[in-house]
Amino acid sequence: MTGTVLFGGDPVAQTLLIPLWARVVEQHESSPLLEDPLAARLVEGIDADWDRIGLSRGDLAQIVVRARQFDRFTRDFLTREPVATVVHIGCGLDTRFQRVDNGSVRWYDLDLPAVIDQRRQLIPESDRDHYLATSVFDRAWPDDISVETGSRVMFVAEAVLCYFETDQVRDLVRRLRDRFPGSELVSDTHTPHALRMENLHLALIRSPARMRWGVRDPRELESWAAGIRWVESFSFFDDIEPRMGFPAWIARIPLITHATGIHRYLLGNPQEQRDHTIPTSPDVHPSS
Ligand SMILES: C[S@@+](CC[C@H](N)C(=O)[O-])C[C@H]1O[C@@H](n2cnc3c(N)ncnc32)[C@H](O)[C@@H]1O
């Protein structure tokens, strides 16, 4: 996908070009499904072979619908929890903070150091949008997250966790649940069958990245630890976006409709003691 070595040569890091490109192309549609005025400026700074992404207009629209739904879950959370903390795991060059900022959220964009280096050059860090240059599997980064007393945390992981082994994802989710009880997680998942299709596309575009974590049922995560609860799911097939180009009959084939989804989970009980919180600063108030 890249003409030069980008993001330290990490194959998964380079996949961030795919959703970035989808958001750029989307801005040329007469009614974009998602507004991302910064996206075009971000690609200007990257020397990549964009033609190699090789996705149809419908595929690109599906990626944008996915981003729009992640935005919706995040906005809903910020409506319920105006003074909250969001950790955007594997943020890549996504501008979700700029799209959903409610003026009071404390936001952390987390990605591998080479990606955060590039991000920093293109989108400066700000008072409420902090950058964490680390692997999400590193055990130290949760120490850098500060949470207002009594407020809650949402972890947002779009197109990230699927690239890792089940054991890694399970261990991570358990640790988030133990460390931030009452937090929420939004992640997309694929069935094992859908993973094979995704990996075929990655092979066709000569990307060495491969997806590994698949689930047959999003509720599988509930068995990972006490207190993990599936809350709701978004399916691309409930209300098909016409530009994705799916015929209506496809919504009657469970193998396809269950193949991929975006899910919201509750990680433990919000009442559990949290020793990592800091007092609420006097200048931050829930927006009314
Ligand atoms: C398909 S991209 C998605 C980027 C972004 N979420 C989006 O939708 O535009 C996958 C992202 O996961 C990041 N990633 C890969 N390994 C990671 C790790 N161990 N810890 C944190 N992020 C990682 C990559 O650098 C890349 O930005």
Side-chain angles (χ1 to χ4, degrees), residues 30 40 49 56 62 84 162 173 177 204 207 248 258 260 264 273:
S30 52
D49 180 0
S56 66
Q62 186 173 353
C162 53
V173 173
R177 178 247 168 274
L204 286 173
S207 163
H258 294 165
T260 180
R264 184 163 72 87
Q273 192 63 43

Side-chain angles (χ1 to χ4, degrees), residues 12-13 15-16 19 23 90-92 94 111-112 115 135-136 158-159 164:
V12 180
T15 63
L16 71 83
R23 292 191 302 277
C91 58
D94 189 20
D111 210 306
L112 298 172
V115 174
S135 165
V136 71
E158 178 180 359
F164 298 95

Side-chain angles (χ1 to χ4, degrees), residues 76-283:
D76 288 351
F77 176 73
L78 294 178
T79 302
R80 283 181 279 123
E81 308 280 339
V83 184
T85 298
V86 173
V87 183
H88 193 197
I89 295 172
C91 58
L93 292 176
D94 189 20
T95 57
R96 179 152 293 121
F97 170 75
Q98 286 74 12
R99 298 198 300 270
V100 307
D101 181 22
N102 65 350
S104 52
V105 62
R106 187 187 300 252
W107 191 278
Y108 294 89
D109 275 313
L110 182 155
D111 210 306
L112 298 172
V115 174
I116 293 293
D117 271 0
Q118 177 97 18
R119 186 179 176 92
R120 237 184 255 286
Q121 289 170 34
L122 299 169
I123 318 170
E125 213 170 342
S126 69
D127 281 359
R128 286 182 299 104
D129 181 13
H130 310 278
Y131 291 175
L132 296 173
T134 177
S135 165
V136 71
F137 301 107
D138 187 298
R139 287 172 180 257
W141 67 262
D143 294 341
D144 296 329
I145 304 293
S146 59
V147 181
E148 305 277 351
T149 305
S151 76
R152 297 181 57 205
V153 183
M154 176 176 256
F155 298 98
V156 179
E158 178 180 359
V160 182
L161 301 181
C162 53
Y163 288 99
F164 298 95
E165 300 292 347
T166 304
D167 287 353
Q168 290 176 286
V169 179
R170 190 193 294 119
D171 185 53
L172 170 69
V173 173
R174 282 179 179 159
R175 276 189 286 114
L176 296 180
R177 178 247 168 274
D178 291 348
R179 183 70 190 261
F180 302 97
S183 59
E184 298 193 7
L185 167 69
V186 180
S187 178
D188 45 345
T189 65
H190 303 273
T191 58
H193 170 72
L195 284 190
R196 284 192 285 276
M197 296 292 117
E198 296 285 345
N199 284 335
L200 187 61
H201 175 253
L202 288 167
L204 286 173
I205 64 171
R206 288 175 281 141
S207 163
R210 290 293 176 271
M211 295 187 184
R212 301 176 196 288
W213 175 53
V215 294
R216 287 194 168 73
D217 180 337
R219 288 185 184 248
E220 280 175 31
L221 277 68
E222 293 187 341
S223 67
W224 287 1
I228 297 182
R229 195 158 61 77
W230 167 87
V231 181
E232 61 180 321
S233 292
F234 167 83
S235 162
F236 292 91
F237 300 91
D238 287 344
D239 180 13
I240 296 176
E241 163 53 44
R243 275 213 283 112
M244 293 191 323
F246 294 150
W249 54 261
I250 219 166
R252 293 197 292 274
I253 304 177
L255 186 69
I256 295 176
T257 55
H258 294 165
T260 180
I262 305 169
H263 316 287
R264 184 163 72 87
Y265 298 92
L266 187 61
L267 304 184
N269 182 344
Q271 305 314 323
E272 287 175 48
Q273 192 63 43
R274 284 173 291 183
D275 58 6
H276 57 278
T277 56
I278 58 164
T280 308
S281 46
D283 56 333

